[in-house]
PDB file of all heavy atoms in Angstrom:
ATOM      1  N   ALA A 804     -39.056  31.105  21.300  1.00  0.00           N
ATOM      2  CA  ALA A 804     -37.977  30.371  20.618  1.00  0.00           C
ATOM      3  C   ALA A 804     -37.982  30.652  19.128  1.00  0.00           C
ATOM      4  O   ALA A 804     -36.925  30.777  18.502  1.00  0.00           O
ATOM      5  CB  ALA A 804     -38.132  28.875  20.876  1.00  0.00           C
ATOM      6  N   SER A 805     -39.206  30.784  18.525  1.00  0.00           N
ATOM      7  CA  SER A 805     -39.292  31.064  17.084  1.00  0.00           C
ATOM      8  C   SER A 805     -38.736  32.436  16.778  1.00  0.00           C
ATOM      9  O   SER A 805     -38.012  32.631  15.797  1.00  0.00           O
ATOM     10  CB  SER A 805     -40.742  30.951  16.620  1.00  0.00           C
ATOM     11  OG  SER A 805     -41.231  29.656  16.847  1.00  0.00           O
ATOM     12  N   THR A 806     -39.051  33.427  17.619  1.00  0.00           N
ATOM     13  CA  THR A 806     -38.530  34.775  17.411  1.00  0.00           C
ATOM     14  C   THR A 806     -37.007  34.780  17.496  1.00  0.00           C
ATOM     15  O   THR A 806     -36.316  35.393  16.682  1.00  0.00           O
ATOM     16  CB  THR A 806     -39.117  35.733  18.457  1.00  0.00           C
ATOM     17  OG1 THR A 806     -40.542  35.696  18.368  1.00  0.00           O
ATOM     18  CG2 THR A 806     -38.627  37.155  18.225  1.00  0.00           C
ATOM     19  N   ALA A 807     -36.471  34.069  18.483  1.00  0.00           N
ATOM     20  CA  ALA A 807     -35.008  33.993  18.612  1.00  0.00           C
ATOM     21  C   ALA A 807     -34.383  33.315  17.406  1.00  0.00           C
ATOM     22  O   ALA A 807     -33.320  33.702  16.930  1.00  0.00           O
ATOM     23  CB  ALA A 807     -34.640  33.252  19.893  1.00  0.00           C
ATOM     24  N   ALA A 808     -35.080  32.306  16.882  1.00  0.00           N
ATOM     25  CA  ALA A 808     -34.537  31.590  15.715  1.00  0.00           C
ATOM     26  C   ALA A 808     -34.555  32.476  14.483  1.00  0.00           C
ATOM     27  O   ALA A 808     -33.602  32.503  13.706  1.00  0.00           O
ATOM     28  CB  ALA A 808     -35.347  30.330  15.463  1.00  0.00           C
ATOM     29  N   PHE A 809     -35.649  33.254  14.295  1.00  0.00           N
ATOM     30  CA  PHE A 809     -35.723  34.135  13.128  1.00  0.00           C
ATOM     31  C   PHE A 809     -34.729  35.279  13.255  1.00  0.00           C
ATOM     32  O   PHE A 809     -34.173  35.746  12.266  1.00  0.00           O
ATOM     33  CB  PHE A 809     -37.137  34.680  12.969  1.00  0.00           C
ATOM     34  CG  PHE A 809     -38.134  33.610  12.601  1.00  0.00           C
ATOM     35  CD1 PHE A 809     -39.422  33.637  13.118  1.00  0.00           C
ATOM     36  CD2 PHE A 809     -37.777  32.585  11.748  1.00  0.00           C
ATOM     37  CE1 PHE A 809     -40.336  32.651  12.780  1.00  0.00           C
ATOM     38  CE2 PHE A 809     -38.684  31.604  11.399  1.00  0.00           C
ATOM     39  CZ  PHE A 809     -39.964  31.635  11.924  1.00  0.00           C
ATOM     40  N   ALA A 810     -34.502  35.737  14.458  1.00  0.00           N
ATOM     41  CA  ALA A 810     -33.549  36.821  14.649  1.00  0.00           C
ATOM     42  C   ALA A 810     -32.143  36.396  14.269  1.00  0.00           C
ATOM     43  O   ALA A 810     -31.347  37.197  13.803  1.00  0.00           O
ATOM     44  CB  ALA A 810     -33.580  37.310  16.099  1.00  0.00           C
ATOM     45  N   SER A 811     -31.817  35.139  14.475  1.00  0.00           N
ATOM     46  CA  SER A 811     -30.493  34.620  14.112  1.00  0.00           C
ATOM     47  C   SER A 811     -30.433  34.136  12.672  1.00  0.00           C
ATOM     48  O   SER A 811     -29.428  33.573  12.252  1.00  0.00           O
ATOM     49  CB  SER A 811     -30.107  33.474  15.047  1.00  0.00           C
ATOM     50  OG  SER A 811     -31.037  32.420  14.911  1.00  0.00           O
ATOM     51  N   GLU A 812     -31.535  34.360  11.890  1.00  0.00           N
ATOM     52  CA  GLU A 812     -31.604  34.011  10.466  1.00  0.00           C
ATOM     53  C   GLU A 812     -31.248  32.549  10.228  1.00  0.00           C
ATOM     54  O   GLU A 812     -30.401  32.205   9.399  1.00  0.00           O
ATOM     55  CB  GLU A 812     -30.663  34.912   9.658  1.00  0.00           C
ATOM     56  CG  GLU A 812     -31.070  36.361   9.697  1.00  0.00           C
ATOM     57  CD  GLU A 812     -30.177  37.224   8.801  1.00  0.00           C
ATOM     58  OE1 GLU A 812     -29.256  36.657   8.207  1.00  0.00           O
ATOM     59  OE2 GLU A 812     -30.430  38.422   8.694  1.00  0.00           O
ATOM     60  N   SER A 813     -31.898  31.707  10.988  1.00  0.00           N
ATOM     61  CA  SER A 813     -31.699  30.271  10.790  1.00  0.00           C
ATOM     62  C   SER A 813     -32.336  29.857   9.489  1.00  0.00           C
ATOM     63  O   SER A 813     -33.442  30.281   9.163  1.00  0.00           O
ATOM     64  CB  SER A 813     -32.318  29.493  11.953  1.00  0.00           C
ATOM     65  OG  SER A 813     -32.225  28.123  11.730  1.00  0.00           O
ATOM     66  N   THR A 814     -31.644  28.994   8.707  1.00  0.00           N
ATOM     67  CA  THR A 814     -32.121  28.572   7.390  1.00  0.00           C
ATOM     68  C   THR A 814     -32.836  27.242   7.402  1.00  0.00           C
ATOM     69  O   THR A 814     -33.453  26.869   6.408  1.00  0.00           O
ATOM     70  CB  THR A 814     -30.929  28.473   6.420  1.00  0.00           C
ATOM     71  OG1 THR A 814     -29.999  27.549   6.962  1.00  0.00           O
ATOM     72  CG2 THR A 814     -30.263  29.814   6.242  1.00  0.00           C
ATOM     73  N   GLU A 815     -32.687  26.477   8.470  1.00  0.00           N
ATOM     74  CA  GLU A 815     -33.346  25.175   8.533  1.00  0.00           C
ATOM     75  C   GLU A 815     -34.197  25.119   9.790  1.00  0.00           C
ATOM     76  O   GLU A 815     -33.670  25.118  10.899  1.00  0.00           O
ATOM     77  CB  GLU A 815     -32.313  24.043   8.561  1.00  0.00           C
ATOM     78  CG  GLU A 815     -31.530  23.915   7.289  1.00  0.00           C
ATOM     79  CD  GLU A 815     -30.615  22.713   7.328  1.00  0.00           C
ATOM     80  OE1 GLU A 815     -30.672  21.955   8.303  1.00  0.00           O
ATOM     81  OE2 GLU A 815     -29.862  22.563   6.368  1.00  0.00           O
ATOM     82  N   THR A 816     -35.500  25.132   9.605  1.00  0.00           N
ATOM     83  CA  THR A 816     -36.421  25.085  10.736  1.00  0.00           C
ATOM     84  C   THR A 816     -37.528  24.109  10.439  1.00  0.00           C
ATOM     85  O   THR A 816     -37.820  23.800   9.289  1.00  0.00           O
ATOM     86  CB  THR A 816     -37.027  26.479  11.011  1.00  0.00           C
ATOM     87  OG1 THR A 816     -37.684  26.904   9.832  1.00  0.00           O
ATOM     88  CG2 THR A 816     -35.967  27.488  11.406  1.00  0.00           C
ATOM     89  N   THR A 817     -38.134  23.613  11.469  1.00  0.00           N
ATOM     90  CA  THR A 817     -39.279  22.720  11.343  1.00  0.00           C
ATOM     91  C   THR A 817     -40.377  23.182  12.276  1.00  0.00           C
ATOM     92  O   THR A 817     -40.143  24.019  13.170  1.00  0.00           O
ATOM     93  CB  THR A 817     -38.880  21.272  11.707  1.00  0.00           C
ATOM     94  OG1 THR A 817     -38.366  21.280  13.027  1.00  0.00           O
ATOM     95  CG2 THR A 817     -37.848  20.718  10.758  1.00  0.00           C
ATOM     96  N   GLU A 818     -41.554  22.653  12.066  1.00  0.00           N
ATOM     97  CA  GLU A 818     -42.699  23.066  12.870  1.00  0.00           C
ATOM     98  C   GLU A 818     -43.321  21.853  13.531  1.00  0.00           C
ATOM     99  O   GLU A 818     -43.395  20.793  12.932  1.00  0.00           O
ATOM    100  CB  GLU A 818     -43.738  23.746  11.964  1.00  0.00           C
ATOM    101  CG  GLU A 818     -45.025  24.074  12.714  1.00  0.00           C
ATOM    102  CD  GLU A 818     -46.162  24.294  11.762  1.00  0.00           C
ATOM    103  OE1 GLU A 818     -45.996  23.921  10.609  1.00  0.00           O
ATOM    104  OE2 GLU A 818     -47.192  24.783  12.196  1.00  0.00           O
ATOM    105  N   ILE A 819     -43.722  22.013  14.737  1.00  0.00           N
ATOM    106  CA  ILE A 819     -44.419  20.953  15.473  1.00  0.00           C
ATOM    107  C   ILE A 819     -45.839  21.418  15.739  1.00  0.00           C
ATOM    108  O   ILE A 819     -46.048  22.489  16.303  1.00  0.00           O
ATOM    109  CB  ILE A 819     -43.714  20.640  16.810  1.00  0.00           C
ATOM    110  CG1 ILE A 819     -42.282  20.187  16.539  1.00  0.00           C
ATOM    111  CG2 ILE A 819     -44.480  19.606  17.586  1.00  0.00           C
ATOM    112  CD1 ILE A 819     -41.515  19.913  17.793  1.00  0.00           C
ATOM    113  N   ASN A 820     -46.755  20.646  15.264  1.00  0.00           N
ATOM    114  CA  ASN A 820     -48.169  20.955  15.520  1.00  0.00           C
ATOM    115  C   ASN A 820     -48.667  20.005  16.597  1.00  0.00           C
ATOM    116  O   ASN A 820     -48.718  18.802  16.394  1.00  0.00           O
ATOM    117  CB  ASN A 820     -48.974  20.783  14.230  1.00  0.00           C
ATOM    118  CG  ASN A 820     -50.428  21.161  14.420  1.00  0.00           C
ATOM    119  OD1 ASN A 820     -50.783  21.708  15.471  1.00  0.00           O
ATOM    120  ND2 ASN A 820     -51.259  20.881  13.441  1.00  0.00           N
ATOM    121  N   LEU A 821     -48.950  20.545  17.728  1.00  0.00           N
ATOM    122  CA  LEU A 821     -49.378  19.715  18.847  1.00  0.00           C
ATOM    123  C   LEU A 821     -50.892  19.708  18.881  1.00  0.00           C
ATOM    124  O   LEU A 821     -51.530  20.702  19.286  1.00  0.00           O
ATOM    125  CB  LEU A 821     -48.810  20.281  20.156  1.00  0.00           C
ATOM    126  CG  LEU A 821     -47.280  20.424  20.201  1.00  0.00           C
ATOM    127  CD1 LEU A 821     -46.851  21.064  21.501  1.00  0.00           C
ATOM    128  CD2 LEU A 821     -46.670  19.075  20.033  1.00  0.00           C
ATOM    129  N   ASP A 822     -51.501  18.624  18.369  1.00  0.00           N
ATOM    130  CA  ASP A 822     -52.952  18.450  18.410  1.00  0.00           C
ATOM    131  C   ASP A 822     -53.300  17.582  19.605  1.00  0.00           C
ATOM    132  O   ASP A 822     -52.771  16.498  19.748  1.00  0.00           O
ATOM    133  CB  ASP A 822     -53.440  17.765  17.125  1.00  0.00           C
ATOM    134  CG  ASP A 822     -53.280  18.671  15.922  1.00  0.00           C
ATOM    135  OD1 ASP A 822     -53.252  19.905  16.134  1.00  0.00           O
ATOM    136  OD2 ASP A 822     -53.160  18.151  14.805  1.00  0.00           O
ATOM    137  N   SER A 823     -54.148  18.031  20.432  1.00  0.00           N
ATOM    138  CA  SER A 823     -54.574  17.249  21.598  1.00  0.00           C
ATOM    139  C   SER A 823     -56.082  17.342  21.742  1.00  0.00           C
ATOM    140  O   SER A 823     -56.720  18.278  21.239  1.00  0.00           O
ATOM    141  CB  SER A 823     -53.875  17.753  22.862  1.00  0.00           C
ATOM    142  OG  SER A 823     -54.214  19.109  23.082  1.00  0.00           O
ATOM    143  N   LYS A 824     -56.605  16.419  22.392  1.00  0.00           N
ATOM    144  CA  LYS A 824     -58.049  16.374  22.625  1.00  0.00           C
ATOM    145  C   LYS A 824     -58.341  16.921  24.024  1.00  0.00           C
ATOM    146  O   LYS A 824     -57.857  16.396  25.004  1.00  0.00           O
ATOM    147  CB  LYS A 824     -58.542  14.933  22.506  1.00  0.00           C
ATOM    148  CG  LYS A 824     -60.039  14.809  22.614  1.00  0.00           C
ATOM    149  CD  LYS A 824     -60.460  13.386  22.367  1.00  0.00           C
ATOM    150  CE  LYS A 824     -61.974  13.261  22.421  1.00  0.00           C
ATOM    151  NZ  LYS A 824     -62.417  11.880  22.187  1.00  0.00           N
ATOM    152  N   ALA A 825     -59.096  18.026  24.070  1.00  0.00           N
ATOM    153  CA  ALA A 825     -59.375  18.680  25.350  1.00  0.00           C
ATOM    154  C   ALA A 825     -60.492  17.955  26.082  1.00  0.00           C
ATOM    155  O   ALA A 825     -61.461  17.490  25.475  1.00  0.00           O
ATOM    156  CB  ALA A 825     -59.755  20.137  25.115  1.00  0.00           C
ATOM    157  N   ALA A 826     -60.333  17.831  27.365  1.00  0.00           N
ATOM    158  CA  ALA A 826     -61.370  17.204  28.188  1.00  0.00           C
ATOM    159  C   ALA A 826     -62.409  18.247  28.593  1.00  0.00           C
ATOM    160  O   ALA A 826     -62.206  19.457  28.465  1.00  0.00           O
ATOM    161  CB  ALA A 826     -60.741  16.586  29.431  1.00  0.00           C
TER     162      ALA A 826
END
Side-chain angles (χ1 to χ4, degrees):
S805 299
T806 303
F809 293 143
S811 62
E812 295 184 358
S813 176
T814 58
E815 293 185 5
T816 58
T817 58
E818 174 199 15
I819 300 178
N820 183 9
L821 303 177
D822 292 336
S823 61
K824 185 175 182 180

